[in-house]
Structures are given as C-alpha cells and as structure tokens.
C-alpha cells in the first residue's frame, strides 16, 4: 500500500465532492449524472477495497489514523481511524450504495418542482448520505462524530420528502423530528462530557478525543460522579436508540420506509441506521462502561421486547413494504441485544448482523420494490401466482426472505446464532424469549411468500414482467453475498473479532465462565 496517503479522508471526501459535482451538472445531463454518480460510488468501493486489503486484524486497534488540529480551544481535532467493527460497516456501505444507485436508476425521472434537476438532486443526496455515514464511522473525535451524525439527517430528509410516495412530507417530517430530538439530547451529553473532562485531573483541558477519554476511563484516572456518568450515558444512548431504532423509539421507521423510494429506504435502514448501533458499541460502552453495566438489564429487556414486537406486528401487516420495515425493528433488537449482553459471541454476532441485515433487507426490500413498481400496489392481497409469470423474481424473493428468517446456510443465521449464544451465557431467560422470533419470522415470511407468489395467477398479475438485466445486476450480488457469508463468514469474523476483544477488554467484561452441573462423585 502506498504510504503517506490520507486514505480515510479520501474515502469520505470522494462521495461528498462527487455529490457537489453531480448537483452542478446541467439540467439536461440526466444520463451523464447517473453514470457519474455510479462511477463515484464505485470509486468509493475501490478505495474501501484498498483499506480492507491493507487492514491488519492483528495490528493496532485503530489503523490508517489521521490526526490534525481543528479547534484547539475546544479540545477537538480532525482525528480519523478505523477498527474492525467500523471497517465492516464501511464495506457494507461501499457495497450497497452502487447497487442502490442502479436500483433507483429511474426513481427521479419525471419529478417536477426541482428546476429540472431532480435526477441530479436525488443522486447528490444519495452520495452525501454515503459520505456522512462513512465520516461518522471513521471519526475518532466525539464532536466531529456528532456533527456528521446529525448532518446526515438533512439529505435523508430530502430523499424521503422530495422523492417518496403520497404521504412523503408527513413521513419525512416525522423522521426528522424524532432524530433531531434525539440528536439535541445527545448534544447536551456531548457538551456535558467536555465539561467533566475539563474539570478532571486526567486531562490538561477539556477534550473530545475519543481515544484519550477511553484510555483515562479504562485506567481509572478519569473518575466522575456515577450519577453524572449515568446522565451522560443516557444522552448518548437516547440518540442512538432513536436512530437504530430501539423499541419504543421506533415509531418513525415504518412510515419513512414505506413512503421513501425502495432505494432510499434501504439506504436509511441498511446503512444510515447502522450508525446508531455502531454508536452504542463504540461510544456508550467504551466511554461509559459502568453506566452501560448499570443500564444493561433495561436495554436488553427493551431489545427483546423489540424483537418480539417487530415480529408480531410484521405478521399482521397487509402492506408488503411495511411488513419488511417491521422485520427490521425485530432485527435491530437482535443487534442491540448482542451489544449489551457484553460477551464476545454477542458483540461479534451483532457486528456481523449489521452487515448481514443490510444485505438481506436490501435484497428483500428492493425485489419487493421492483414488484410493486410493476403492479402499482403494496397490498399483499393484490398479488398471487407471481412465481408462474416471474419465476426469477419469485425465486430471488424467496432466498431473500429465507435469509431474513435466518435460515441455516444463509448469512443472517450465523450472526443471529452468535447473538443468541452470547445472550444465553448471561441472560438465559431473555435468550429463550428472543428465540421465539425464529418461529414468528418463519410465519411472516413464508405466509407472505405463499400469498404473493404461489397459487393461481390473480387478475392483473399476468402482465408482471420478470427481473430486467439492470435489476439482476442489483439482486445477483446481494444473493451471492448472502450465500457466501452464510457458509464462510470467517473473513468477516477475522476482522471483527479482534476489535470486539479490544472493546470487552477496555470495559473489563470478560466472557462468563461456563458452569457445569455437578454430578455424583464416582
């Protein structure tokens, strides 16, 4: 690898600058804008591949580190670095965005009210979200992270409100208000953290340097009143719980997912929302280990409720897109559960689940979107017999659905299995309750497939076309990745596991020692 290149800066700046260039293209150059945006996203993927190849899982915790002065008087700097957990989500982001641009190739065509630049605006907003998500993942300065954590809401708001369905304005406002409120609470906690670092003997002055604060916490040099740390933890956790989302802070997600275009909905659920669970794993646990342990029973209980709640509500949906949105609430419950059980299996499973959920949700939601665009309705009962007229679409929909219910041999199974094992070692009763989602997910996926794809061809479905070449270009890589990671997750886990071990060592939470039942003495 070429040394001296600020790879992480290049990584996040490429889509950000690309977004600015796309929006400047003439209104008539819609086709050029599409190809240029796709080229930019592929360049991001290439840079990510370079980082992934050059990353040493057995090396330093944070690699490709860049550190520069930003606002010295505030104790904040331009500090970037990537560990195995962040790298896994960066790779997911870089893989999905080119596929989402291809999937939404025609989503902005025919839009009005944007001075003839609807296509350019749509693509620029998509690239802007990618750049801000990547910056959030690689930032090692808390204030820098917060700035981009909040900034990504703006382009996503316009993607939902400008290009979505009939009720897009209401859904976009709901999305923005929920997340902005969570962000404002977090801002108070960020400021509070700076104040307590400024008043501590562990630091010469207030600081936002994540690594410095974590090192001081781990060594015992940074000691603060537990009640203050609990409040700061809750400020961070609330914002991440809204973003993730964790039950009962999920109310914005179903409406936003349904009203956004399928590509934008996947960008939101599979990419942007992962910053919430990533924040829990990096910031909540490592900055506030004692508070994380104090609130652990509450968080894991909410996570299990979300798992079961999302699955039950998915069963009762009549709208296929809303059904898939509720499955994501259930899956985010699994991810958060694995993070807060604080075991190596649970956290490795959660990180891998972030990746696998992104792939499976992208496949299922996009294929459903292709089907809805042909039929013109999201109602499940309007379909029937699709597998007879569009067998490839039905077959890929089935594979994506089976991945969503964590069928063995497909990627989500490994991650869900690890989360349940990690949970059982600390909270066996909650692990049993969480396991009920395995049955519930089989009900909502297989029943949906039966109603939509099997049986006689319903009136109006006989004209449904099978997947087009452009759509196959989107679906085929997702299905392939679900299969490959389902049978051989080792490359991903080799990168994730050392980062998880670093986290557990930092918060001083070793895996529980198995207890063997005592038998009769021979």
């Amino acid at each position: 690898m070429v040394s001296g290149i600020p790879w992480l800066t290049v990584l996040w700046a490429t889509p950000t600058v690309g977004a600015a260039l796309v929006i400047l293209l003439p209104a008539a150059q819609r086709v050029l804008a599409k190809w240029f945006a796709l080229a930019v996203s592929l360049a991001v993927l290439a840079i990510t591949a370079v980082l992934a190849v050059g990353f040493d899982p057995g090396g330093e915790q944070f690699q490709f580190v860049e550190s520069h002065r930003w606002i010295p008087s505030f104790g904040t700097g331009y500090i970037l670095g990537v560990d195995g957990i962040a790298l896994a989500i960066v790779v997911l982001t870089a893989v999905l965005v080119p596929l989402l641009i291809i999937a939404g190739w025609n989503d902005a065509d025919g839009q009005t009210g944007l001075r003839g630049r609807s296509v350019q605006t749509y693509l620029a907003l998509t690239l802007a979200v990618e750049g801000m998500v990547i910056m959030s993942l690689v930032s090692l300065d808390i204030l820098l992270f917060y700035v981009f954590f909040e900034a990504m809401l703006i382009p996503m708001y316009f993607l939902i409100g400008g290009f979505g369905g009939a009720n897009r304005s209401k859904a976009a406002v709901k999305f923005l208000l929920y997340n902005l409120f969570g962000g404002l609470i977090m801002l108070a906690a960020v400021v509070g953290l700076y104040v307590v670092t400024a008043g501590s003997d562990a630091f010469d002055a207030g600081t936002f340097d994540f690594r410095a604060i974590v090192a001081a916490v781990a060594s015992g040099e940074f000691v603060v009143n537990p009640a203050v740390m609990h409040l700061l933890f809750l400020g961070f956790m609330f914002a991440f719980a809204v973003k993730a989302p964790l039950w009962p802070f999920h109310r914005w997600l179903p409406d936003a997912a349904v009203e956004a275009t399928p590509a934008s909905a996947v960008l939101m659920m599979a990419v942007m929302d992962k910053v919430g669970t990533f924040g829990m794993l990096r910031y909540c646990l490592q900055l506030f280990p004692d508070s994380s342990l104090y609130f652990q029973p509450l968080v894991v209980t909410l996570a299990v409720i979300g798992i079961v709640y999302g699955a039950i509500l998915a069963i009762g949906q009549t709208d296929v897109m809303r059904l898939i949105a509720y499955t994501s609430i259930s899956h985010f419950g699994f991810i958060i559960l694995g993070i807060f059980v604080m075991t190596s299996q649970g956290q490795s499973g959660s990180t891998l689940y972030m990746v696998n959920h992104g792939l499976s949700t992208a496949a299922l939601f996009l294929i459903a979107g292709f089907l809805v665009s042909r039929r013109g309705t999201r109602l499940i009962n309007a379909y029937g017999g699709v597998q007879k007229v569009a067998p490839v679409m039905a077959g890929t929909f089935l594979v994506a659905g089976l991945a969503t219910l964590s069928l063995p041999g497909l990627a989500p199974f490994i991650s869900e299995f690890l989360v349940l094992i990690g949970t059982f070692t600390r909270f066996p009763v909650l692990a049993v309750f969480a396991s009920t989602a395995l049955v519930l997910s089989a009900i909502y996926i297989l029943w949906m497939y039966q109603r939509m794809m099997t049986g006689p061809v319903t009136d109006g479905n006989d004209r449904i076309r099978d997947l087009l070449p452009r759509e196959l270009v989107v679906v085929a890589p997702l299905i392939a990745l679900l299969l490959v990671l389902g049978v051989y997750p080792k490359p991903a886990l080799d990168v994730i596991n050392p980062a998880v071990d670093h986290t557990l060592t930092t918060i001083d939470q070793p895996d529980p020692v198995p207890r063997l039942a005592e038998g009769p003495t021979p």
Side-chain angles (χ1 to χ4, degrees), residues 292-331:
S292 298
L293 196 61
Y294 180 82
F295 288 104
Q296 181 188 44
L298 172 63
V299 176
V300 296
T301 300
L302 294 179
V304 172
I305 293 174
I307 290 169
V308 178
Y309 170 89
I312 291 176
L313 262 66
I315 293 174
Q317 297 305 309
T318 58
D319 181 321
V320 60
M321 309 305 270
R322 191 172 288 272
L323 185 154
I324 300 172
Y326 275 107
T327 69
S328 282
I329 294 172
S330 182
H331 294 151

Side-chain angles (χ1 to χ4, degrees), residues 330-470:
S330 182
H331 294 151
F332 273 110
F334 271 111
I335 294 171
I336 297 168
L337 177 64
I339 291 171
F340 275 89
V341 295
M342 301 183 192
T343 62
S344 57
Q345 299 97 331
Q347 292 191 355
S348 293
S350 287
T351 306
L352 186 61
Y353 212 140
M354 294 184 211
V355 176
N356 292 338
H357 168 264
L359 298 174
S360 61
T361 296
L364 191 63
F365 212 91
L366 291 176
I367 297 169
F370 295 149
L371 182 59
V372 169
S373 67
R374 288 158 165 75
R375 187 69 170 83
T377 178
R378 301 193 305 261
L379 294 178
I380 295 174
N381 290 337
Y383 296 91
V386 173
Q387 68 180 11
K388 294 181 180 178
V389 296
V392 176
M393 179 183 290
T396 53
F397 188 81
L398 178 61
V399 174
L402 294 176
T404 300
L405 64 81
S406 300
L407 184 76
L410 296 171
F413 169 76
I414 300 295
S415 44
E416 194 164 299
F417 185 69
L418 286 172
V419 168
L420 289 173
I421 289 177
T423 303
F424 190 81
T425 59
R426 289 198 193 275
F427 303 97
V429 175
L430 291 180
V432 171
F433 278 107
S435 299
T436 61
L438 302 176
V439 177
L440 297 174
S441 62
I443 293 174
Y444 63 67
I445 289 295
L446 297 179
W447 191 29
M448 175 180 65
Y449 182 84
Q450 180 189 35
R451 287 181 288 170
M452 296 181 66
M453 302 296 174
T454 65
V457 178
T458 305
D459 291 342
N461 291 338
D462 53 326
R463 296 186 298 274
I464 291 178
R465 298 174 297 167
D466 215 334
L467 291 178
L468 303 173
R470 173 179 62 85

